[in-house]
Amino acid sequence: AVSMAIATSTPRQLLPRDQRRAQILRAAAQAFSRDGYAATSVDEVAKQAGITKLIVYRHFDSKAALYRSILDEVATRLGEEWMANTDDEHQHGSAVRTLLTVARELPDGFRLLFVHAAREQEFAEYAEGFRSIQEELAERVVADRIVDEPLRTWTVRMMVRVVVASVLEWIEVGEPAGDELFVDRATAGIRSLVVAISAPAPV
C-alpha cells in the first residue's frame, strides 16, 4: 500500500531557491494587485503560486515582508534600467523607456509600487519616498525653464504622474512591437508640455 501511494502521488517540483523566490513574488504581486494587501492572505498567495503556505514562509517572514520585497524588486530593476538607459546612445526617452521596460517585465509589481502601495498604510511612506526620487529627477529637467516655484512644483508632479499613467495605459493597449514609438511620442509629449508651461504669460 505504501509503495502504491508513492507510485501514484505527484512529486512536488523542486526549484532552486532564487527561482522559487521569483515564483512567489510573481504570484504575490498578482494577488496583491488584484485584491489589495488587507484582503490577500498568505494562503491565497500560496494557492496562486501552486505551493503550500509553509514554502512561502520559508522564503518570507511575513505578508508585509513579501509585499515589501515586491516593491524592492521593482525599485531595484528601475534603478538598473535607469543606469542602462542614460548612456549617450539611449539618452532620448530614457525616463519613459526605463519605466516601460520594467512595467513590461513586472506589470503587477509595477502597479503595486506606483498605484496601490500609496493607499496602503504600511507602505505609503515607501511609495512617497520613491515618488520623491522621481520628482527630483524631473525637477532637473525644468529647473532652468520654470522659475516660479509653485508652477515648477506643479509641473514636476504632473510630469511624473502623466508618464507613469501613460506607461500603465500603454502596457494595457499597446503591443511590445510599438514600444519604441510610444517612448518617442510620450517623450515628445512631455517636452511639449514643459515648453508650453514655461512659455511667457500673455500680456
Side-chain angles (χ1 to χ4, degrees):
V2 173
S3 61
M4 196 170 183
I6 293 172
T8 58
S9 64
T10 302
R12 179 166 59 86
Q13 185 181 11
L14 297 176
L15 294 177
R17 184 172 180 81
D18 58 341
Q19 290 183 30
R20 179 67 76 191
R21 189 176 190 277
Q23 176 199 24
I24 295 168
L25 287 174
R26 297 297 85 73
Q30 188 174 356
F32 286 135
S33 64
R34 182 184 62 236
D35 300 324
Y37 178 71
T40 301
S41 67
V42 175
D43 280 312
E44 287 166 319
V45 170
K47 183 178 179 181
Q48 183 82 36
I51 57 177
T52 66
K53 182 168 68 171
L54 178 61
I55 294 175
V56 176
Y57 279 123
R58 284 178 184 166
H59 293 266
F60 301 95
D61 294 336
S62 64
K63 186 172 78 167
L66 178 53
Y67 196 103
R68 185 172 292 274
S69 293
I70 297 168
L71 302 183
D72 286 342
E73 179 185 37
V74 176
T76 298
R77 286 292 298 119
L78 286 166
E80 292 168 350
E81 285 300 316
W82 174 253
M83 295 302 294
N85 284 313
T86 51
D87 58 30
D88 292 338
E89 183 181 353
H90 297 101
Q91 192 70 37
H92 176 75
S94 56
V96 178
R97 185 178 292 105
T98 292
L99 291 168
L100 180 59
T101 299
V102 178
R104 285 283 189 208
E105 181 183 330
L106 304 168
D108 295 310
F110 189 89
R111 289 186 186 91
L112 284 191
L113 179 58
F114 286 103
V115 179
H116 300 294
R119 303 170 185 166
E120 304 288 358
Q121 185 176 355
E122 290 189 57
F123 308 104
E125 186 177 346
Y126 188 112
E128 176 62 32
F130 194 80
R131 187 170 65 240
S132 294
I133 293 171
Q134 288 186 295
E135 290 175 358
E136 287 173 14
L137 293 172
E139 187 156 10
R140 297 178 189 175
V141 176
V142 302
D144 295 334
R145 288 178 170 270
I146 304 175
V147 178
D148 181 75
E149 187 172 344
L151 184 60
R152 186 172 66 247
T153 300
W154 170 74
T155 303
V156 163
R157 292 180 180 179
M158 181 187 66
M159 287 170 62
V160 170
R161 285 157 179 77
V162 166
V163 171
V164 169
S166 297
V167 167
L168 285 168
E169 291 298 333
W170 179 251
I171 64 173
E172 290 293 327
V173 303
E175 295 295 328
D179 282 357
E180 276 305 310
L181 179 61
F182 165 77
V183 169
D184 183 67
R185 297 296 170 83
T187 301
I190 289 296
R191 288 180 175 175
S192 296
L193 274 174
V194 173
V195 169
I197 292 168
S198 61
V203 178

